[in-house]
Amino acid sequence: MRISIVFAFIITLVFACGGGSADGTKKGSLENGTQVDPLAAGKKAYKQFCVPCHGMDGKLGINGARDFAESDLNLEERIEVITNGRGMMTAFKSVLKPEQIKAAAEYTIHLGNQKED
Ligand code: HEC
């Protein structure tokens, strides 16, 4: 009885010292592994409809399309531009569902926040 208590105490000590960071890393990768990509829907719509003018990284700028990294439009304003179009950009309200437009708008914000490689 007493031996097992001492043993348990030692085990606890070993885990408390050495196990800390290893445990943390494991948790992180588990979360990444099980999480669904919140940008997946927007990425899909973007790849399908937006790449020809905006490019994969949002910097292509065909027909005067703005680099998303330089855009200061917020989510609402982007949704508005994508829904109703502007200038040379076509409206997407008859092509995409409102939630796809929102997802695509979020994806353009994500692209704009990407660091240069
Ligand atoms: C036919 C080419 C074309 C396609 C396809 C296109 N865009 Fe555009 N986009 C443009 C152009 C050109 C502008 C600049 C419009 C202007 O201000 O005159 C623009 C502007 C924008 C803006 C506003 C950027 C800013 O800061 O002014 C957003 C956001 C945007 N596009 C997102 C999208 C998304 C998302 C898609 C796909 C669903 C898409 N675009 C598809 C050409 C295109």
Side-chain angles (χ1 to χ4, degrees):
M1 188 60 172
R2 183 173 287 173
I3 288 170
S4 71
I5 287 169
V6 171
F7 190 60
F9 184 61
I10 290 168
I11 296 278
T12 311
L13 266 185
V14 169
F15 270 96
C17 301
S21 65
D23 194 35
T25 340
K26 208 172 155 197
K27 236 187 197 165
S29 66
L30 243 184
E31 269 166 20
N32 290 341
T34 51
Q35 225 170 40
V36 184
D37 183 359
L39 290 163
K43 197 173 181 176
K44 195 168 161 237
Y46 184 87
K47 274 190 179 165
Q48 200 172 347
F49 296 106
C50 322
V51 168
C53 295
H54 290 283
M56 276 308 290
D57 57 1
K59 296 180 187 298
L60 189 59
I62 296 283
N63 290 331
R66 188 120 40 104
D67 180 348
F68 293 132
E70 268 143 44
S71 171
D72 47 13
L73 298 188
N74 62 28
L75 183 60
E76 301 284 294
E77 292 163 330
R78 287 178 198 228
I79 289 173
E80 162 69 24
V81 171
I82 300 162
T83 305
N84 298 315
R86 203 179 70 198
M88 293 292 289
M89 180 167 157
T90 36
F92 280 89
K93 59 173 174 257
S94 55
V95 182
L96 294 168
K97 292 187 216 122
E99 58 267 29
Q100 288 178 300
I101 290 177
K102 181 164 180 271
E106 280 164 351
Y107 189 67
T108 67
I109 291 175
H110 165 78
L111 283 178
N113 290 336
Q114 295 288 296
K115 294 262 184 302
E116 303 274 336
D117 291 311

